[in-house]
């Protein structure tokens, strides 16, 4: 006989929505956590590896999931889990970028590229283009929106919710990011 | 539209197409055919897109997944809300219980003056009606019994509020989890 006050265990299934799995996780269901991790492992790691070095991406991946576990009580099932997850990951990326002196040095080096070289046309933007380096060279506020849009295929509204700025700002940052990727760095374009 | 305006529009459209990973529309194509500078921008964007697409997808290593699962599970069991905060009466109350309890308590309290007025009226009118043919001591006993039953009902109603609130919150949660 089941002792009084004990809840009937619920077995999460693979068909449950992310939000339902979070509710189960709030009740302490470890299987729900595993299912969520399996669902988002690829997307989340892809997002993080475009925002940080490979080693740092691994640390951030683990840290993101631990934060999900620790903050599960604060999750509102009326919200989208993916937005909440990327919000946590994005905040961790920002903190990490702020702390990382190495990244700041790399960024400074990239920004000091001679204008002529940066503005070089298609001839120099050939297969040798180090896309990862160019991406890493973008200011944090431009890189975060570009990665979320270009690689994660998120809409402007959802990106706005994740990064905490109005959708209009997301749009202008996206265009500024594209111009910066091309090497067209106009200061007035990227001040937000 | 001046050529500068046309170039500005075309470049914005090219950037939009780049972000959406599609080819620019026919209107822009017509402008590109006649504008060398914008064509150059398009070529640059194509090269950037190609380079970005070539970036590794970044699959998480299996040991990382295993490590994360292990730490997550440990964290969950160490601070499982159902177990960690279980008091002597059992697991903690479900989320939203306090709000539902206060709501029901508020409704019950709002109805209280009406109940009091009604019962006062019943006692007074009943006393007057029965006063002619029921002896005084019997009337007092009847009034006492009536008051006791009213008090009993009120205790039942107020006492059941926490249980009703708990049941309602649990039902709402199971609707969310399917």
């Amino acid at each position: 006989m089941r002792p009084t006050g004990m809840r009937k265990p619920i077995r999460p299934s693979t068909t449950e929505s992310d939000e339902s799995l979070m509710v189960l996780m709030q009740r302490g269901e470890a299987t729900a956590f595993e299912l969520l991790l399996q669902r988002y492992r690829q997307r989340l790691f892809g997002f993080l590896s475009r925002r940080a070095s490979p080693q740092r991406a691994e640390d951030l991946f683990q840290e993101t999931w631990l934060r999900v576990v620790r903050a599960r009580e604060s999750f509102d099932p009326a919200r989208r889990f993916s937005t909440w997850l990327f919000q946590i990951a994005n905040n961790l990326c920002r903190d990490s970028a702020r702390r990382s002196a190495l990244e700041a040095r790399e960024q400074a080096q990239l920004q000091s590229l001679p204008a002529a070289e940066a503005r070089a046309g298609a001839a120099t933007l050939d297969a040798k283009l180090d896309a990862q380096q160019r991406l890493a060279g973008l200011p944090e506020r431009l890189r975060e929106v570009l990665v979320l849009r270009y690689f994660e295929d998120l809409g402007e509204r959802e990106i706005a919710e994740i990064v905490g700025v109005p959708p209009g700002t997301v749009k202008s940052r996206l265009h500024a990011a594209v111009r910066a990727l091309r090497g067209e760095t106009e200061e007035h374009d990227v001040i937000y | 539209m001046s050529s500068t305006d046309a170039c500005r529009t075309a470049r914005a459209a090219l950037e939009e197409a780049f972000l959406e990973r599609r080819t620019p529309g026919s209107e822009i194509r017509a402008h590109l055919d006649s504008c060398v500078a914008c064509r150059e921008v398009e070529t640059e964007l194509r090269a950037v897109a190609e380079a970005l697409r070539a970036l590794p997808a970044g699959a998480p290593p299996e040991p990382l997944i295993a490590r994360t699962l292990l730490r997550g599970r440990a964290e969950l069991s160490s601070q499982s809300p159902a177990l960690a905060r279980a008091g002597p009466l059992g697991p903690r109350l479900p989320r939203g219980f306090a709000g539902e309890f206060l709501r029901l308590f508020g409704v019950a309290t709002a109805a209280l003056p009406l109940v009091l007025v009604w019962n006062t009226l019943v006692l007074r009118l009943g006393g007057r009606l029965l006063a002619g043919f029921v002896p005084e001591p019997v009337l007092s006993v009847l009034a006492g019994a009536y008051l006791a039953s009213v008090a009993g009902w009120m205790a039942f109603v107020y006492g059941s509020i926490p249980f009703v609130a708990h049941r309602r919150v649990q039902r709402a949660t199971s609707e969310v989890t399917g």
Side-chain angles (χ1 to χ4, degrees):
Chain A
M1 205 177 122
R2 196 192 306 282
T4 320
M6 217 164 146
R7 284 202 186 101
K8 193 177 151 191
I10 300 163
R11 299 243 174 273
S13 76
T14 48
T15 52
E16 297 278 8
S17 70
D18 299 340
E19 293 73 28
S20 305
L21 289 174
M22 269 310 289
V23 173
L24 293 174
M25 226 173 98
Q26 286 172 340
R27 294 186 191 170
E29 281 291 333
T31 327
F33 168 65
E34 286 168 35
L35 284 170
L36 282 171
L37 194 145
Q38 293 301 344
R39 266 182 208 179
Y40 283 92
R41 54 187 276 179
Q42 194 75 36
R43 267 186 79 185
L44 184 68
F45 193 75
F47 170 72
L48 295 170
S49 56
R50 280 166 186 128
R51 297 286 304 278
S53 66
Q55 183 51 50
R56 198 76 202 108
E58 289 196 17
D59 294 343
L60 290 172
F61 181 85
Q62 189 161 309
E63 189 54 35
T64 303
W65 284 109
L66 288 179
R67 293 247 176 138
V68 166
V69 173
R70 286 176 197 147
R72 65 190 185 281
E73 285 292 294
S74 67
F75 176 74
D76 173 9
R79 285 188 65 195
R80 277 183 74 169
F81 170 73
S82 59
T83 307
W84 189 64
L85 176 73
F86 280 102
Q87 213 166 29
I88 293 174
N90 192 54
N91 288 341
L92 284 170
C93 287
R94 280 178 179 177
D95 293 346
S96 164
R98 246 177 254 141
R99 279 197 308 265
S100 170
L102 179 71
E103 201 163 330
R105 270 209 302 275
E106 280 173 358
Q107 204 161 308
Q109 278 168 2
L110 278 158
Q111 280 171 351
S112 66
L113 279 176
E117 191 186 328
R119 283 177 180 279
T124 50
L125 268 170
D126 58 10
K128 285 181 186 170
L129 174 79
D130 188 350
Q132 184 76 65
Q133 212 177 19
R134 275 185 185 264
L135 203 57
L138 288 179
E140 196 57 29
R141 66 186 181 284
L142 302 187
R143 190 170 10 151
E144 62 186 13
V145 292
L146 186 82
V147 171
L148 287 166
R149 175 67 185 266
Y150 193 81
F151 296 102
E152 297 306 321
D153 252 337
L154 300 183
E156 277 159 19
R157 278 184 183 280
E158 197 171 359
I159 298 174
E161 205 180 323
I162 291 169
V163 302
V165 295
T169 308
V170 169
K171 198 179 175 71
S172 47
R173 282 186 186 180
L174 280 170
H175 285 273
V178 177
R179 287 195 288 276
L181 272 181
R182 277 177 47 227
E184 189 184 302
T185 49
E186 290 168 47
E187 281 306 310
H188 63 272
D189 278 339
V190 289
I191 299 168
Y192 298 106
Chain B
M1 194 189 279
S2 71
S3 73
T4 322
D5 284 343
C7 287
R8 200 173 294 139
T9 310
R11 284 175 198 195
L14 283 172
E15 285 169 7
E16 205 60 52
F18 166 85
L19 288 167
E20 288 169 11
R21 293 200 243 181
R22 59 172 170 78
T23 48
S26 54
E27 263 182 56
I28 304 305
R29 288 247 70 90
H31 173 78
L32 293 178
D33 289 342
S34 62
C35 180
V36 180
C38 287
R39 223 165 34 235
E40 210 168 89
V41 170
E42 193 214 6
T43 317
E44 282 175 16
L45 283 174
R46 269 196 199 170
V48 171
E50 208 171 290
L52 287 178
R53 273 197 297 270
L55 285 178
E62 282 309 319
L64 171 67
I65 298 294
R67 253 191 345 259
T68 310
L69 272 174
L70 213 65
R71 286 200 62 187
R73 271 198 216 123
E75 194 88 26
L76 264 172
S77 59
S78 73
Q79 42 145 254
S80 174
L83 299 170
R85 293 180 213 171
L89 295 173
R92 75 181 192 105
L93 296 166
R95 275 165 71 86
F97 170 81
E100 186 63 20
F101 174 79
L102 286 174
R103 201 181 67 80
L104 292 175
F105 191 80
V107 171
T109 310
L112 193 59
L114 213 71
V115 174
L116 290 176
V117 168
W118 169 255
N119 285 302
T120 311
L121 277 174
V122 169
L123 277 175
R124 282 193 178 174
L125 291 174
R128 276 185 204 162
L129 276 172
L130 297 174
F133 42 91
V134 176
E136 188 69 23
V138 177
L139 259 182
S140 302
V141 170
L142 278 175
Y146 182 77
L147 278 174
S149 78
V150 169
W153 272 108
M154 282 176 62
F156 174 75
V157 168
Y158 278 90
S160 66
I161 288 175
F163 299 99
V164 174
H166 190 271
R167 188 74 186 264
R168 285 172 67 91
V169 170
Q170 272 199 325
R171 198 183 300 156
T173 312
S174 63
E175 272 167 17
V176 174
T177 58

